[in-house]
Amino acid sequence: MITLRPAGARGHFDFGWLDTRHTFSFGEYFDPDHQQFHALRVINEDRVQAGKGFGTHGHRDMEILTWVLSGALEHRDSLGTHGVIRPGEAQVMSAGTGIRHSEFNASAAEPVHFLQIWILPGRQGLTPRYDQVAFPEIELHNQLRLIASPDGAEGSVKLFQDVKVFAARLEAGREAKAVIPTGRAGFVHVAKGSVTLNGTTMNAGDSARMEGEPALTVVAGSPSEILFFDLA
């Protein structure tokens, strides 16, 4: 069964410097029907204006994955990490016992557009850590590329949870396929463009829960970028 979550049904706040849309309940947005899906707790689509960002704040016991769609995002944290995240780079931060961090638009002229994803960890009290991996464009082109996994397989960033995350950038008319193992669920988020998922039409910002589906076939109706979550 595929359950579609239209982009327009998400929570939406525009603070001027930040335009943010929430697929799941987050902050001041609460929807009892959309609090999490398996271990997937948050997908926020954020657009931050030039020179603006999130000041230093803390988190605990959460796997936080960032995927930039355009622009560049500058990161600093209490571990002493300082880096810039660009399209095609996956950044993960295990908040664990506690970490403080900030994210700012790295450009003084252009906005940054990114997804922040929260995944509930398999256990609490982990040692905080940070990792960032860049994936060549050719590895994302017209195929699903593993970007995050429980064991860091294929050069992906490691998650302390039984979740695999894939990304793909598809040309119009091209397709990507994946098997969903028995007993697992899938979740697809369309970051850009328009696609059909097992025949169901989806547009940018739409997401879909997949339960009892043995596989997925995504066909791009226009140049598209998608994320696929394989969830225990």
XYZ file of all heavy atoms in Angstrom, residues 2-89:
708
model
N 0.507 2.202 -0.821
C 1.210 3.479 -0.893
C 0.277 4.568 -0.360
O -0.858 4.699 -0.818
C 1.638 3.808 -2.331
C 2.693 2.800 -2.808
C 2.183 5.228 -2.425
C 3.112 2.980 -4.240
N 0.760 5.301 0.637
C -0.016 6.397 1.216
C 0.687 7.705 0.896
O 1.795 7.962 1.390
C -0.153 6.230 2.741
O -0.721 4.946 3.033
C -1.051 7.323 3.308
N 0.064 8.523 0.070
C 0.672 9.769 -0.388
C 0.470 10.880 0.630
O -0.609 11.041 1.207
C 0.047 10.170 -1.727
C 0.630 11.414 -2.415
C 2.059 11.155 -2.861
C -0.237 11.790 -3.616
N 1.523 11.655 0.844
C 1.468 12.858 1.698
C 1.792 14.053 0.804
O 2.956 14.311 0.483
C 2.499 12.708 2.808
C 2.786 13.966 3.620
C 1.731 14.214 4.660
N 2.254 15.034 5.750
C 1.535 15.880 6.446
N 0.256 16.038 6.159
N 2.059 16.575 7.436
N 0.768 14.799 0.342
C 1.021 15.905 -0.593
C 1.858 17.014 0.041
O 1.752 17.286 1.245
C -0.387 16.402 -0.940
C -1.303 15.289 -0.564
C -0.664 14.611 0.600
N 2.642 17.675 -0.784
C 3.490 18.762 -0.301
C 2.686 19.836 0.409
O 3.105 20.370 1.440
C 4.272 19.365 -1.466
N 1.519 20.158 -0.135
C 0.707 21.233 0.410
C 0.088 20.919 1.756
O -0.421 21.820 2.425
N 0.105 19.648 2.153
C -0.464 19.266 3.442
C 0.540 19.383 4.586
O 0.181 19.209 5.756
C -0.989 17.823 3.368
N 1.779 19.685 4.264
C 2.812 19.787 5.293
C 2.634 21.043 6.144
O 1.986 21.999 5.729
C 4.208 19.826 4.650
C 4.589 18.580 3.904
C 5.942 18.724 3.224
N 5.913 19.738 2.173
C 6.973 20.150 1.492
N 8.164 19.653 1.773
N 6.844 21.052 0.547
N 3.254 21.017 7.318
C 3.323 22.240 8.099
C 4.197 23.257 7.399
O 5.202 22.893 6.772
N 3.850 24.538 7.485
C 4.604 25.571 6.765
C 4.708 26.825 7.619
O 3.707 27.316 8.154
C 3.915 25.909 5.444
C 4.610 26.989 4.679
N 3.931 27.977 3.975
C 5.928 27.269 4.518
C 4.795 28.788 3.413
N 6.025 28.398 3.735
N 5.933 27.335 7.749
C 6.180 28.591 8.450
C 7.152 29.422 7.626
O 8.144 28.903 7.111
C 6.784 28.343 9.845
C 5.880 27.564 10.760
C 5.953 26.173 10.821
C 4.946 28.217 11.555
C 5.118 25.451 11.648
C 4.100 27.501 12.393
C 4.187 26.111 12.446
N 6.873 30.702 7.513
C 7.760 31.629 6.811
C 8.163 32.722 7.786
O 7.358 33.563 8.170
C 7.061 32.221 5.591
C 8.002 33.040 4.712
O 9.109 33.373 5.178
O 7.632 33.344 3.578
N 9.431 32.698 8.199
C 9.958 33.667 9.158
C 10.750 34.778 8.476
O 11.455 35.532 9.135
C 10.839 32.954 10.185
C 10.113 31.887 10.967
C 10.306 30.548 10.664
C 9.234 32.227 11.979
C 9.642 29.554 11.383
C 8.560 31.245 12.697
C 8.755 29.903 12.402
N 10.646 34.855 7.166
C 11.410 35.843 6.417
C 12.785 35.317 6.059
O 13.059 35.049 4.887
N 13.638 35.128 7.043
C 14.974 34.580 6.793
C 14.934 33.081 6.539
O 15.812 32.508 5.904
C 15.911 34.880 7.963
C 15.536 34.175 9.247
C 14.666 34.605 10.198
C 16.018 32.904 9.695
N 14.564 33.687 11.221
C 15.387 32.637 10.939
C 16.922 31.967 9.177
C 15.630 31.480 11.678
C 17.170 30.807 9.910
C 16.530 30.567 11.145
N 13.849 32.430 7.019
C 13.685 30.981 6.895
C 12.290 30.653 6.409
O 11.297 31.079 6.994
C 13.920 30.306 8.252
C 13.475 28.845 8.382
C 14.335 27.924 7.515
C 13.521 28.387 9.845
N 12.222 29.876 5.319
C 10.970 29.296 4.855
C 11.093 27.792 5.077
O 11.984 27.145 4.511
C 10.739 29.601 3.376
C 9.375 29.132 2.910
O 9.182 27.909 2.783
O 8.501 29.979 2.666
N 10.238 27.210 5.922
C 10.397 25.820 6.322
C 9.090 25.052 6.197
O 8.012 25.579 6.506
C 10.940 25.728 7.765
O 11.126 24.350 8.130
C 10.016 26.400 8.774
N 9.200 23.827 5.740
C 8.046 22.947 5.563
C 8.336 21.616 6.241
O 9.404 21.036 6.046
C 7.733 22.763 4.070
C 7.391 24.104 3.400
C 7.257 24.013 1.881
N 7.161 25.348 1.306
C 6.009 25.997 1.109
N 4.863 25.410 1.419
N 6.008 27.215 0.601
N 7.350 21.140 7.029
C 7.542 19.980 7.883
C 6.669 18.808 7.430
O 5.436 18.912 7.449
C 7.205 20.313 9.339
C 7.916 21.518 9.881
N 9.200 21.848 9.524
C 7.508 22.476 10.759
C 9.565 22.941 10.169
N 8.550 23.347 10.911
N 7.303 17.725 7.045
C 6.557 16.519 6.674
C 5.954 15.853 7.904
O 4.860 15.293 7.841
C 7.491 15.536 5.944
O 7.955 16.144 4.734
C 6.784 14.239 5.595
N 6.665 15.930 9.030
C 6.192 15.365 10.294
C 6.064 16.476 11.336
O 6.637 17.559 11.186
C 7.157 14.292 10.799
C 7.306 13.120 9.878
C 8.399 13.031 9.026
C 6.358 12.107 9.849
C 8.545 11.943 8.172
C 6.494 11.026 8.992
C 7.591 10.939 8.150
N 5.338 16.191 12.406
C 5.200 17.148 13.500
C 6.572 17.621 13.958
O 7.497 16.826 14.151
C 4.466 16.501 14.671
O 3.144 16.164 14.325
N 6.676 18.950 14.143
C 7.963 19.530 14.511
C 7.729 20.918 15.068
O 6.994 21.714 14.482
C 8.884 19.615 13.288
C 10.258 20.149 13.584
C 11.276 19.298 13.992
C 10.543 21.503 13.460
C 12.541 19.777 14.271
C 11.803 21.996 13.734
C 12.811 21.133 14.146
N 8.368 21.231 16.205
C 8.235 22.563 16.784
C 6.782 22.914 17.049
O 6.072 22.184 17.738
N 6.334 24.031 16.481
C 4.966 24.491 16.709
C 3.939 23.779 15.826
O 2.734 23.996 15.975
C 4.882 26.002 16.462
C 5.727 26.830 17.419
C 5.626 28.314 17.131
O 4.789 28.695 16.293
O 6.393 29.087 17.734
N 4.424 22.942 14.905
C 3.508 22.204 14.028
C 3.251 20.820 14.613
O 4.183 20.043 14.836
C 4.109 22.071 12.631
C 3.345 21.124 11.737
C 2.037 21.395 11.356
C 3.938 19.953 11.272
C 1.326 20.521 10.542
C 3.245 19.077 10.447
C 1.939 19.362 10.087
O 1.254 18.498 9.279
N 1.978 20.501 14.851
C 1.621 19.183 15.387
C 0.487 18.603 14.571
O -0.551 19.238 14.363
C 1.194 19.286 16.848
C 0.743 17.966 17.418
C 1.657 16.965 17.703
C -0.602 17.725 17.646
C 1.240 15.741 18.207
C -1.034 16.508 18.160
C -0.105 15.510 18.436
N 0.699 17.385 14.091
C -0.324 16.626 13.381
C -0.292 15.217 13.952
O 0.684 14.487 13.760
C -0.027 16.605 11.883
C -1.128 15.929 11.075
O -1.817 15.043 11.640
O -1.286 16.253 9.892
N -1.326 14.803 14.674
C -1.299 13.486 15.323
C -1.169 12.327 14.354
O -0.733 11.239 14.746
C -2.640 13.430 16.073
C -3.512 14.439 15.389
C -2.588 15.523 14.921
N -1.513 12.549 13.083
C -1.414 11.483 12.082
C -0.045 11.433 11.411
O 0.222 10.524 10.624
C -2.496 11.667 11.018
C -3.894 11.513 11.579
O -4.075 10.688 12.505
O -4.800 12.233 11.122
N 0.787 12.418 11.692
C 2.103 12.477 11.051
C 3.152 12.899 12.080
O 3.674 14.012 12.046
C 2.086 13.452 9.862
C 1.165 13.028 8.773
N -0.153 13.426 8.718
C 1.360 12.217 7.715
C -0.732 12.879 7.667
N 0.156 12.144 7.031
N 3.442 11.973 13.006
C 4.438 12.236 14.035
C 5.771 11.561 13.717
O 6.823 12.110 14.034
C 3.928 11.807 15.400
C 2.678 12.591 15.834
C 2.335 12.361 17.274
O 3.086 12.721 18.177
N 1.182 11.743 17.511
N 5.710 10.394 13.117
C 6.904 9.704 12.654
C 6.454 8.526 11.809
O 5.271 8.175 11.786
C 7.780 9.217 13.809
C 7.151 8.115 14.646
C 7.995 7.760 15.846
O 8.082 8.537 16.807
N 8.636 6.596 15.811
N 7.393 7.897 11.118
C 7.125 6.676 10.361
C 8.283 5.737 10.625
O 9.402 5.996 10.198
C 6.984 6.973 8.865
C 6.614 5.778 8.038
C 5.426 5.104 8.249
C 7.461 5.315 7.038
C 5.076 4.005 7.484
C 7.126 4.219 6.263
C 5.929 3.557 6.484
N 8.001 4.667 11.395
C 9.070 3.794 11.884
C 10.095 4.671 12.609
O 9.706 5.458 13.466
C 9.636 2.958 10.747
C 8.639 1.970 10.209
N 8.761 0.611 10.352
C 7.467 2.148 9.516
C 7.731 -0.013 9.786
N 6.923 0.903 9.280
N 11.375 4.592 12.270
C 12.382 5.406 12.962
C 12.564 6.789 12.338
O 13.342 7.601 12.849
C 13.717 4.673 12.989
N 11.851 7.066 11.246
C 11.970 8.362 10.568
C 11.102 9.377 11.305
O 9.879 9.270 11.326
C 11.533 8.228 9.117
C 11.604 9.460 8.227
C 13.007 10.052 8.199
C 11.144 9.103 6.815
N 11.745 10.366 11.917
C 11.046 11.298 12.803
C 10.814 12.678 12.185
O 9.790 13.318 12.452
C 11.847 11.428 14.104
C 11.321 12.458 15.093
C 9.928 12.108 15.589
N 9.389 13.192 16.408
C 8.774 14.270 15.937
N 8.609 14.422 14.629
N 8.314 15.188 16.753
N 11.745 13.168 11.363
C 11.652 14.528 10.821
C 12.158 14.558 9.391
O 13.193 13.958 9.086
C 12.481 15.528 11.675
C 12.683 16.856 10.937
C 11.837 15.769 13.032
N 11.425 15.232 8.511
C 11.962 15.715 7.240
C 11.519 17.165 7.113
O 10.347 17.455 6.874
C 11.471 14.921 6.013
C 11.865 13.449 6.104
C 12.047 15.530 4.724
C 11.403 12.622 4.920
N 12.448 18.069 7.315
C 12.177 19.498 7.153
C 12.847 19.999 5.883
O 14.045 19.774 5.687
C 12.711 20.294 8.346
C 11.895 20.078 9.612
O 10.827 19.463 9.575
N 12.393 20.573 10.734
N 12.066 20.641 5.045
C 12.610 21.277 3.846
C 12.797 22.754 4.159
O 11.822 23.491 4.352
C 11.663 21.101 2.661
C 12.192 21.752 1.385
C 11.229 21.653 0.220
O 10.108 21.125 0.398
O 11.591 22.114 -0.882
N 14.038 23.193 4.228
C 14.360 24.550 4.653
C 14.999 25.353 3.530
O 15.861 24.854 2.803
C 15.333 24.530 5.837
C 14.702 23.993 7.116
O 13.457 23.947 7.191
O 15.452 23.621 8.036
N 14.580 26.610 3.439
C 15.239 27.590 2.579
C 15.675 28.745 3.471
O 14.837 29.395 4.103
C 14.304 28.079 1.475
C 14.005 27.044 0.396
C 13.008 27.588 -0.614
N 12.873 26.728 -1.788
C 12.054 25.685 -1.863
N 11.301 25.369 -0.810
N 11.991 24.962 -2.967
N 16.977 28.985 3.518
C 17.544 30.018 4.392
C 18.158 31.110 3.524
O 18.935 30.831 2.601
C 18.605 29.418 5.338
C 19.268 30.518 6.162
C 17.960 28.378 6.266
N 17.811 32.345 3.835
C 18.299 33.477 3.051
C 19.797 33.712 3.265
O 20.388 33.248 4.246
C 17.513 34.737 3.414
C 16.041 34.681 3.028
C 15.850 34.447 1.540
O 16.410 35.162 0.713
N 15.042 33.453 1.178
N 20.400 34.418 2.340
C 21.834 34.692 2.372
C 22.243 35.319 3.697
O 21.574 36.230 4.204
C 22.220 35.615 1.219
N 23.334 34.802 4.265
C 23.894 35.362 5.481
C 23.125 35.043 6.747
O 23.497 35.508 7.828
N 22.062 34.254 6.659
C 21.231 33.919 7.821
C 21.423 32.457 8.214
O 22.031 31.678 7.493
C 19.754 34.200 7.517
C 19.457 35.622 7.071
C 19.758 36.622 8.163
C 19.372 38.036 7.743
N 19.638 39.034 8.805
N 20.865 32.094 9.374
C 20.987 30.707 9.783
C 20.494 30.462 11.191
O 19.888 31.329 11.830
N 20.755 29.245 11.653
C 20.328 28.795 12.974
C 21.481 28.985 13.954
O 22.549 28.387 13.787
C 19.937 27.314 12.931
C 18.851 26.987 11.935
C 19.170 26.646 10.624
C 17.518 27.028 12.304
C 18.172 26.336 9.702
C 16.515 26.720 11.396
C 16.844 26.379 10.089
N 21.275 29.799 14.984
C 22.304 30.000 15.994
C 22.557 28.737 16.789
O 21.854 27.725 16.661
N 23.553 28.774 17.635
C 23.951 27.591 18.404
C 22.799 27.100 19.281
O 22.184 27.857 20.026
C 25.168 27.920 19.285
O 26.244 28.359 18.449
C 25.621 26.690 20.060
N 22.519 25.812 19.163
C 21.447 25.182 19.937
C 21.809 23.722 20.166
O 22.718 23.196 19.528
C 20.099 25.307 19.214
C 20.094 24.701 17.841
N 20.702 25.306 16.753
C 19.576 23.538 17.373
C 20.540 24.549 15.682
N 19.865 23.463 16.038
N 21.120 23.073 21.077
C 21.497 21.720 21.461
C 20.501 20.658 21.041
O 19.321 20.930 20.819
N 21.012 19.419 20.931
C 20.192 18.236 20.676
C 20.737 17.069 21.483
O 21.922 17.035 21.841
C 20.217 17.851 19.190
C 19.552 18.830 18.280
N 18.198 19.059 18.296
C 20.049 19.650 17.320
C 17.897 19.966 17.387
N 19.005 20.343 16.785
N 19.872 16.082 21.723
C 20.281 14.843 22.366
C 19.600 13.669 21.672
O 18.478 13.784 21.182
C 19.887 14.813 23.852
C 20.584 15.843 24.738
C 20.082 15.741 26.168
N 20.387 14.440 26.751
C 21.502 14.160 27.416
N 22.417 15.099 27.596
N 21.707 12.958 27.920
N 20.279 12.543 21.650
C 19.696 11.260 21.254
C 18.896 11.335 19.959
O 17.713 10.998 19.903
C 18.819 10.704 22.388
C 19.641 10.340 23.617
O 20.719 9.722 23.440
O 19.221 10.658 24.739
N 19.578 11.773 18.902
C 18.964 11.820 17.578
C 20.055 11.695 16.519
O 21.151 12.238 16.684
C 18.209 13.136 17.387
C 17.261 13.154 16.197
S 15.868 12.014 16.381
C 14.966 12.772 17.737
N 19.769 10.948 15.453
C 20.636 10.904 14.281
C 20.134 11.981 13.321
O 18.988 11.919 12.851
C 20.575 9.532 13.610
C 21.048 8.376 14.490
C 22.542 8.433 14.732
O 23.307 8.030 13.841
O 22.951 8.890 15.827
N 20.960 12.980 13.024
C 20.547 14.122 12.209
C 21.322 14.090 10.899
O 22.548 14.195 10.884
C 20.789 15.447 12.961
C 19.990 15.448 14.278
C 20.394 16.633 12.087
C 20.281 16.624 15.168
N 20.580 13.916 9.811
C 21.166 13.807 8.472
C 20.775 15.045 7.668
O 19.599 15.415 7.620
C 20.641 12.537 7.786
C 21.097 12.259 6.359
C 22.590 11.957 6.308
C 20.297 11.082 5.780
N 21.756 15.675 7.031
C 21.507 16.861 6.213
C 21.871 16.578 4.763
O 22.934 16.023 4.485
C 22.314 18.062 6.735
O 21.944 18.327 8.099
C 22.050 19.304 5.900
N 20.979 16.974 3.853
C 21.182 16.785 2.417
C 20.860 18.107 1.729
O 19.716 18.563 1.738
C 20.278 15.672 1.886
C 20.479 15.311 0.453
C 19.646 15.595 -0.601
C 21.566 14.563 -0.109
N 20.135 15.082 -1.767
C 21.329 14.432 -1.506
C 22.725 13.993 0.420
C 22.194 13.772 -2.358
C 23.589 13.321 -0.433
C 23.320 13.219 -1.804
N 21.864 18.757 1.156
C 21.699 20.064 0.535
C 21.251 19.898 -0.919
O 21.814 19.101 -1.672
C 23.015 20.866 0.615
C 22.913 22.162 -0.182
C 23.362 21.173 2.083
N 20.246 20.681 -1.310
C 19.700 20.618 -2.669
C 20.282 21.707 -3.563
O 20.476 21.505 -4.756
C 18.178 20.736 -2.623
C 17.476 19.628 -1.809
C 15.999 19.943 -1.661
C 17.682 18.272 -2.449
N 20.561 22.876 -2.987
C 21.232 23.950 -3.728
C 21.845 24.911 -2.718
O 21.364 25.043 -1.590
C 20.260 24.700 -4.650
O 19.252 25.350 -3.905
N 22.919 25.574 -3.130
C 23.607 26.478 -2.232
C 24.608 25.734 -1.358
O 25.044 24.625 -1.680
N 24.968 26.334 -0.239
C 25.965 25.753 0.660
C 25.611 26.104 2.099
O 25.213 27.231 2.403
C 27.364 26.270 0.322
N 25.760 25.128 2.991
C 25.393 25.271 4.391
C 26.641 25.108 5.255
O 27.342 24.090 5.167
C 24.341 24.221 4.765
C 23.693 24.352 6.140
C 22.805 25.597 6.191
C 22.864 23.104 6.456
N 26.907 26.095 6.095
C 28.095 26.059 6.968
C 27.714 25.515 8.336
O 26.734 25.949 8.942
C 28.684 27.465 7.106
C 29.970 27.500 7.922
C 30.614 28.874 7.933
O 29.989 29.821 7.393
O 31.720 29.015 8.469
N 28.519 24.570 8.836
C 28.241 23.882 10.104
C 29.370 24.094 11.097
O 30.553 24.022 10.741
C 28.076 22.377 9.828
C 28.043 21.541 11.073
N 26.881 21.165 11.681
C 29.052 21.002 11.827
C 27.156 20.432 12.755
N 28.467 20.324 12.865
N 29.015 24.342 12.355
C 29.954 24.354 13.476
C 29.311 23.624 14.643
O 28.086 23.708 14.832
C 30.303 25.787 13.899
C 31.057 26.600 12.852
C 31.369 27.997 13.378
N 31.976 28.840 12.344
C 33.290 28.943 12.137
N 34.125 28.246 12.922
N 33.766 29.714 11.184
N 30.118 22.921 15.448
C 29.544 22.245 16.607
C 30.530 22.196 17.772
O 31.694 22.594 17.651
C 29.051 20.842 16.231
C 30.145 19.896 15.767
O 31.240 19.898 16.370
O 29.921 19.154 14.795
N 30.029 21.710 18.899
C 30.803 21.685 20.130
C 31.899 20.627 20.131
O 32.703 20.571 21.066
C 29.876 21.485 21.334
O 29.056 20.339 21.168
N 31.955 19.801 19.095
C 33.067 18.862 18.930
C 34.275 19.547 18.299
O 35.339 18.938 18.173
C 32.644 17.681 18.054
C 31.481 16.821 18.554
C 31.143 15.753 17.530
C 31.804 16.188 19.892
N 34.083 20.784 17.862
C 35.142 21.503 17.163
C 35.082 21.343 15.661
O 35.978 21.801 14.941
N 34.030 20.714 15.174
C 33.873 20.505 13.732
C 33.437 21.789 13.049
O 32.572 22.511 13.539
C 32.813 19.422 13.459
O 33.110 18.256 14.219
C 32.776 19.071 11.984
N 34.049 22.056 11.910
C 33.650 23.189 11.075
C 33.733 22.738 9.625
O 34.780 22.280 9.164
C 34.574 24.392 11.299
C 34.268 25.546 10.391
N 35.246 26.325 9.807
C 33.080 26.036 9.947
C 34.691 27.253 9.058
N 33.374 27.100 9.134
N 32.615 22.812 8.916
C 32.613 22.395 7.515
C 31.495 23.053 6.744
O 30.599 23.686 7.312
N 31.549 22.917 5.437
C 30.521 23.430 4.539
C 29.945 22.251 3.762
O 30.693 21.447 3.210
C 31.083 24.495 3.581
C 30.013 24.947 2.594
C 31.617 25.690 4.371
N 28.625 22.153 3.737
C 27.918 21.056 3.079
C 27.329 21.586 1.780
O 26.628 22.611 1.776
C 26.794 20.497 3.969
C 27.288 20.296 5.403
C 26.260 19.186 3.406
C 26.186 20.371 6.421
N 27.589 20.869 0.688
C 27.120 21.290 -0.631
C 26.304 20.164 -1.262
O 26.312 19.029 -0.771
C 28.313 21.648 -1.511
C 29.083 22.878 -1.011
C 30.249 23.216 -1.925
N 30.874 24.502 -1.560
C 31.792 24.636 -0.610
N 32.221 23.558 0.051
N 32.287 25.828 -0.337
N 25.592 20.434 -2.363
C 24.828 19.380 -3.028
C 25.694 18.164 -3.339
O 26.853 18.300 -3.748
C 24.336 20.059 -4.305
C 24.210 21.504 -3.923
C 25.383 21.756 -3.010
N 25.119 16.982 -3.106
C 25.857 15.743 -3.325
C 26.657 15.291 -2.126
O 27.358 14.278 -2.195
N 26.555 16.010 -1.002
C 27.269 15.647 0.220
C 26.267 15.311 1.317
O 25.319 16.070 1.555
C 28.183 16.777 0.675
C 29.253 17.122 -0.348
C 30.165 18.248 0.101
O 29.870 18.901 1.123
O 31.161 18.492 -0.593
